[in-house]
Amino acid sequence: MYPGAKNLITDVSGLKVGNAQDAALKSGVTVLTADAPFTAGVSVMGGAPGTRETDLLAPDKTVQQVNALVLSGGSAFGLAAADGVSDALRAAGKGFAVGPHIVPIVPAAIVFDLASGGDTAWDANPYPALGRAACEAASADFNIGTTGAGTGATTVNLKGGLGSASLTLPSGHTVGALVVVNALGAATVDDSPHFHAAPCEIDGEFGGLGPKITHNAAKTPVTKLTPGTATTIAIVATDAALNKSQCTRMATAAQDGMARALWPSHTPMDGDLVFGVATDAKPLDDEFVDTLNIGHAAAICLTRAIARGVYEAQKAPGDTLPTWHEKFGG
């Protein structure tokens, strides 16, 4: 397996990602969409999720494909970002046909970044406008780090951010991940610059430092220890032809990538969630072998994307935590 040309989730052909953020608010929205509807599932393993329309992703529900997925800051206020995305998609004539009506299908998940140092004393919820702007900015090329829904993200000791990574499999399928890293725990080992994700790193994409040689894995983890202030939300995607059940299984497998990259993960105070997406462009040659490898690749991509999101974070006025580069140089 090797990274795609961009090392982004948009190496899965047909997918587009858009970001919008407000510097004063220190928050933003990230939207994944495509020219055509796509199949999606979801896996929720955190104890404090914030979501919209995720029930319809269950394999037994009627609607089989969605038009966009939204990752947003703003805690519960950020769920309104999907309103702006729905407005943009409806204006473009995209959605589920119900008689003469077009209803965009836009599941969403949020992180809590209200304590990131931004100005949250708004009179009107800013997230619908940010959602529409992110949707309208969607492209195959996008930035990672302190942008979109990663603008106000933090870990316990460093700024978090928006991360992405991809892999091309021997079968010819492509897998990618997109993640907002706002974890209760840490992406780095103890007080070192080494990432928990280091064993999965490719071509020095987050510093090339390798694993920390000595590490007490039995040590009680350091966390934010404040309910409601954490969550890592992600999307993993492939160009393989998967149904909703298989997308859900891919998302579940990708949760292992989160556990490899963030210590601890899936806590009662995190809302850890992974959407699984398939564009259905390439058939499976061997259902069992291909879905196994796609799930494994999704986990590896998510591990790498998490580290990249922290590594690429940029300094901004009013930050409450340093970036990886501020703290460790390089």
Side-chain angles (χ1 to χ4, degrees):
M1 298 187 293
Y2 54 90
K6 303 177 190 297
N7 200 18
L8 298 172
I9 195 171
T10 49
D11 285 320
V12 176
S13 181
L15 294 184
K16 299 177 181 179
V17 172
N19 290 317
Q21 55 281 324
D22 183 318
L25 184 64
K26 292 183 78 68
S27 185
V29 176
T30 296
V31 175
L32 181 137
T33 188
D35 291 332
F38 50 87
T39 308
V42 68
S43 170
V44 183
M45 293 186 68
T51 61
R52 167 174 162 158
E53 288 197 292
T54 51
D55 282 355
L56 64 79
L57 300 179
D60 64 322
K61 299 302 184 286
T62 299
V63 175
Q64 294 299 302
Q65 294 187 308
V66 307
N67 301 104
L69 295 172
V70 176
L71 307 179
S72 180
S75 189
F77 301 104
L79 291 173
D83 292 340
V85 176
S86 293
D87 289 344
L89 292 170
R90 183 173 181 268
K94 297 180 178 180
F96 184 74
V98 185
H101 306 287
I102 297 295
V103 182
I105 307 299
V106 186
I110 50 87
V111 300
F112 183 100
D113 59 2
L114 300 179
S116 64
D119 180 5
T120 58
W122 61 73
D123 293 324
N125 189 324
Y127 288 96
L130 287 168
R132 181 160 193 159
C135 187
E136 292 175 345
S139 169
D141 295 302
F142 64 96
N143 293 325
I144 61 174
T146 305
T147 188
T151 299
T154 60
T155 68
V156 66
N157 60 337
L158 297 169
K159 282 190 73 170
L162 183 73
S164 193
S166 70
L167 284 172
T168 299
L169 281 62
S171 63
H173 296 105
T174 299
V175 174
L178 179 70
V179 62
V180 180
V181 188
N182 188 62
L184 188 80
T188 52
V189 181
D190 301 326
D191 199 36
S192 81
H194 296 265
F195 285 94
H196 288 294
C200 297
E201 186 175 13
I202 299 174
D203 296 335
E205 62 194 334
F206 41 88
L209 298 181
K212 194 173 187 296
I213 301 304
T214 58
H215 172 40
N216 182 3
K219 180 181 178 181
T220 301
V222 179
T223 68
K224 295 176 184 175
L225 286 177
T226 305
T229 62
T231 287
T232 298
I233 50 178
I235 302 169
V236 293
T238 181
D239 53 8
L242 303 183
N243 59 33
K244 289 172 75 174
S245 294
Q246 291 166 328
C247 283
T248 301
R249 175 49 48 188
M250 175 176 63
T252 302
Q255 294 275 11
D256 290 346
M258 196 178 295
R260 292 176 186 137
L262 296 167
W263 287 35
S265 291
H266 309 135
T267 75
M269 284 77 76
D270 282 296
D272 296 343
L273 170 152
V274 180
F275 291 110
V277 165
T279 63
D280 304 334
K282 296 183 179 180
L284 300 174
D285 294 324
D286 183 316
E287 178 179 352
F288 296 108
V289 172
D290 286 347
T291 54
L292 183 155
N293 288 334
I294 287 167
H296 173 65
I300 297 297
C301 284
L302 184 51
T303 298
R304 296 163 49 228
I306 288 169
R308 292 191 77 204
V310 175
Y311 182 75
E312 296 292 347
Q314 298 99 37
K315 181 180 179 180
D319 284 348
T320 59
L321 287 169
T323 67
W324 185 93
H325 288 282
E326 281 183 283
K327 185 167 183 176
F328 301 115

